[in-house]
């Protein structure tokens, strides 16, 4: 699958729309997508990340929020696959700059929405 130019979606990002989207699709999207999104969301709030990386993160989260996707979210199973691909791509790009505290914060939030057995899929975040 070829990734879209997700930087075109940067203007669609807002914190409130991000929270609303994640809450709405969390169970359907799965723990892996939600964990990746939460890590990027919390990383965006860090002052330890470069402006360039923040711009990339905003583009990815804007793509997640946008109703205009390569694969529409309403399509069962496949609908969020493009969103996950974009999030994982950006997460890999900034992974070495992410503090363990951010990962812990994302995991803690994830634990509020998912059972422990559902969370095990994040062990294979990049596969």
């Amino acid at each position: 699958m070829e990734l879209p130019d997700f930087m075109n979606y940067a203007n669609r990002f807002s914190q409130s729309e991000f929270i609303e989207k994640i809450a709405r699709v969390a169970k359907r999207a799965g723990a892996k997508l939600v964990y990746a999104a939460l890590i990027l969301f919390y990383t965006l709030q860090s002052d330890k990340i470069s402006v360039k990386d923040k711009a990339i993160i905003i583009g990815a989260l804007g793509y997640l929020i946008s109703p205009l996707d390569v694969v529409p979210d309403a399509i069962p199973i496949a609908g969020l696959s493009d969103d996950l691909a974009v999030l994982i791509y950006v997460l890999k790009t900034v992974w070495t700059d992410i503090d363990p505290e951010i990962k812990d914060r994302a995991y803690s939030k994830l634990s509020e929405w998912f059972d422990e057995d559902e969370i095990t899929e994040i062990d294979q975040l990049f596969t």
Side-chain angles (χ1 to χ4, degrees):
M1 171 191 334
E2 186 176 326
L3 292 178
D5 182 7
F6 54 85
M7 289 308 296
N8 290 332
Y9 295 86
N11 63 341
R12 296 188 181 272
F13 175 75
S14 77
Q15 287 189 4
S16 61
E17 288 183 40
F18 170 78
I19 297 297
E20 180 184 317
K21 171 88 177 214
I22 289 296
R24 190 175 68 248
V25 303
K27 285 293 188 176
R28 185 168 57 97
K32 188 186 279 190
L33 183 143
V34 174
Y35 184 60
L38 287 171
I39 289 174
L40 291 174
F41 179 72
Y42 293 135
T43 299
L44 186 60
Q45 299 169 5
S46 171
D47 59 353
K48 298 177 183 176
I49 195 98
S50 73
V51 173
K52 176 184 164 246
D53 286 346
K54 284 186 178 190
I56 293 169
I57 291 170
I58 288 171
L61 294 179
Y63 184 78
L64 174 66
I65 292 168
S66 175
L68 304 173
D69 286 358
V70 172
V71 181
D73 294 346
I75 297 174
I77 300 172
L80 293 167
S81 61
D82 60 323
D83 298 275
L84 179 59
V86 166
L87 294 177
I88 295 298
Y89 173 80
V90 172
L91 196 55
K92 281 183 175 182
T93 303
V94 300
W95 188 254
T96 57
D97 296 326
I98 298 174
D99 288 334
E101 296 84 30
I102 289 174
K103 295 173 192 172
D104 292 343
R105 187 174 174 198
Y107 185 88
S108 177
K109 188 65 171 175
L110 191 69
S111 298
E112 294 176 20
W113 292 330
F114 293 91
D115 295 331
E116 200 59 41
D117 60 323
E118 295 171 307
I119 293 176
T120 59
E121 71 179 77
I122 68 167
D123 294 338
Q124 299 165 358
L125 189 58
F126 295 121
T127 58

